[in-house]
Amino acid sequence: MRPGCIPATLLVIAKAPIAGFAKTRLTPPFSPRDAARLAAAALLDTLIDVRASGIQHRMVAWTGNLAEAQEADTLADTLRDFTVVPQRGNTFGERLANAHADAAHFGLPVLQIGMDTPQAGPELLARSAGHLVSSGDAVLGPAADGGWWALGLTDPRPARLLTEVPMSTSRTGDLTRAVVRRCGYRVHRLPILTDVDTYDDAVTVAAHSHGSFAATFGLLTAAATPALL
């Protein structure tokens, strides 16, 4: 497989970084606007890493009004390099399943990630997609909180079973692995990453990333009063 030409689709599930809409568990200690600034920084880092990963197709399943988002102009410019589709469904599991079905229209394996692991980097994304393509296995990236940060499938049909998996629990990762195996797939385990939900998560992720998220987190914490943090 030639570097820079990995025959897969990288799908990002993204929410517009709007105050009071994105990363609400960061409030407090951050204000809703500053939490949205961190969400925007994480999303921009993620999109830049996806663009640099060498994966053939790039798609974003989007929800929220981009015009109201923090860093709206920069995000709009970056998203021009992506196929953007609206998220569809009433539950998060339904939106994930429908996004996998949309991404499968390219006819290639799909590696899905969120917008809150900016430390993943293009190399890890490329390795993850490369294993998905070369092995035919599913791939699953566990999150430190028991969820998952990445799911790769060669067929979108197992993603329909995500509607049966309770999301945002300490068992979400294990239950997702179980439903994929139930479809007859071996599941290759990717490295464990921390995704940004809480302030402590943000501390960990900022310490292991080097882009806009780490810089924005540093600026916000430096400006905050000690009593708030």
Side-chain angles (χ1 to χ4, degrees):
M1 189 181 305
R2 290 189 295 113
C5 191
I6 301 170
T9 297
L10 211 162
L11 167 65
V12 181
I13 307 297
K15 174 186 284 191
I18 300 168
F21 181 62
K23 292 301 162 198
T24 56
R25 290 173 62 189
L26 293 176
T27 305
F30 295 111
S31 70
R33 179 177 179 274
D34 285 347
R37 287 177 62 190
L38 284 168
L43 176 55
L44 283 167
D45 283 350
T46 299
L47 297 177
I48 290 167
D49 287 345
V50 169
R51 199 165 54 189
S53 68
I55 295 170
Q56 187 171 343
H57 292 292
R58 301 179 292 270
M59 176 178 280
V60 174
W62 182 269
T63 187
N65 187 347
L66 176 58
E68 297 176 3
Q70 298 292 315
E71 302 294 338
D73 291 343
T74 304
L75 281 169
D77 185 61
T78 306
L79 286 168
R80 291 192 181 97
D81 292 330
F82 292 76
T83 300
V84 179
V85 298
Q87 293 183 23
R88 299 180 290 111
N90 295 319
T91 68
F92 189 47
E94 288 174 356
R95 294 196 296 272
L96 290 174
N98 288 330
H100 271 270
D102 290 339
H105 288 168
F106 288 112
L108 296 171
V110 175
L111 177 66
Q112 180 253 302
I113 63 173
M115 58 181 276
D116 48 5
T117 50
Q119 77 277 35
E123 293 82 9
L124 176 55
L125 297 178
R127 289 199 307 272
S128 301
H131 185 91
L132 176 66
V133 170
S134 63
S135 70
D137 296 341
V139 300
L140 186 69
D145 62 3
W148 49 268
W149 65 271
L151 174 64
L153 298 170
T154 57
D155 186 311
R157 285 175 291 183
R160 297 304 316 171
L161 296 179
L162 294 175
T163 59
E164 304 175 10
V165 176
M167 296 293 162
S168 302
T169 77
S170 61
R171 298 187 62 224
T172 297
D174 290 340
L175 293 172
T176 301
R177 183 179 298 106
V179 299
V180 174
R181 284 176 172 166
R182 202 164 83 206
C183 293
Y185 288 86
R186 294 186 301 177
V187 181
H188 174 74
R189 182 186 175 103
L190 300 176
I192 298 173
L193 295 183
T194 297
D195 50 10
V196 179
D197 289 316
T198 67
Y199 174 75
D200 288 343
D201 296 336
V203 172
T204 299
V205 171
H208 291 89
S209 58
H210 304 285
S212 295
F213 183 84
T216 302
F217 183 79
L219 288 171
L220 293 178
T221 52
T225 62
L228 290 177
L229 301 180

